[in-house]
């Protein structure tokens, strides 16, 4: 598991490995939220700039990093490329089963 101040390049590398480990089965959960510099439940620090906390987890490990507003554009481009490259193993949703079930309910 990575520390909260992980450089986002290392975060993206570890996230790529996480996607590869879960390619055949499993899932990766990613959350993004505004980060106020707080590491405990005490009063939040007043950061000089807006920060974004990004977390990723699967059943085995957790990753997190903080991105400053200055780095967002570079990070977003790298992150989008990573997502596009790892979404090829998604299963196509089978709608024919749903249609058959709806027809049975309508009858």
């Amino acid at each position: 598991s990575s520390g909260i101040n992980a450089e986002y390049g290392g975060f993206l590398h570890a996230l790529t490995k996480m996607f590869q480990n879960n390619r055949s089965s499993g899932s990766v959960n990613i959350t993004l939220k505004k980060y106020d510099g707080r590491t405990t439940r005490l009063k939040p620090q007043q950061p000089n700039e807006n920060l974004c906390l990004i977390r990723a987890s699967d059943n085995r490990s957790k990753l997190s990093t903080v991105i400053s507003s200055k780095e967002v554009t570079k990070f977003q481009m790298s992150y989008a490329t990573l997502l596009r490259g790892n979404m090829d193993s998604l299963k196509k949703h089978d709608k024919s089963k749903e249609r058959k079930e709806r027809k049975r309910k309508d009858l």
Side-chain angles (χ1 to χ4, degrees):
S1 127
S2 173
I4 198 151
N5 292 323
E7 179 62 37
Y8 76 83
F11 173 81
L12 291 172
H13 181 71
L15 185 59
T16 302
K17 283 186 174 182
M18 191 180 280
F19 275 122
Q20 289 170 352
N21 292 339
N22 290 287
R23 186 171 287 275
S24 60
S25 67
S27 60
V28 176
N29 296 312
I30 299 172
T31 58
L32 294 93
K33 72 177 205 175
K34 187 172 181 176
Y35 182 62
D36 59 8
R38 189 181 344 193
T39 55
T40 63
R41 290 188 171 264
L42 300 175
K43 284 195 304 188
Q45 303 165 357
Q46 293 300 323
N48 295 337
E49 59 183 332
N50 290 325
L51 300 173
C52 180
L53 174 63
I54 302 170
R55 292 183 181 134
S57 65
D58 60 7
N59 288 337
R60 295 178 290 272
S61 58
K62 296 178 180 179
L63 303 169
S64 64
T65 191
V66 176
I67 305 297
S68 72
S69 57
K70 296 172 190 166
E71 300 171 320
V72 166
T73 306
K74 281 197 302 186
F75 176 80
Q76 249 181 339
M77 292 177 70
S78 302
Y79 178 63
T81 304
L82 181 145
L83 287 179
R84 270 189 232 111
N86 287 290
M87 285 195 184
D88 57 353
S89 64
L90 292 174
K91 294 182 181 95
K92 186 148 175 96
H93 190 63
D94 187 9
K95 294 181 182 177
S96 62
K97 289 180 185 176
E98 289 179 11
R99 286 188 194 122
K100 287 178 185 176
E101 287 177 19
R102 270 195 232 127
K103 284 183 182 178
R104 282 189 206 140
K105 288 180 183 177
D106 290 342
L107 296 176

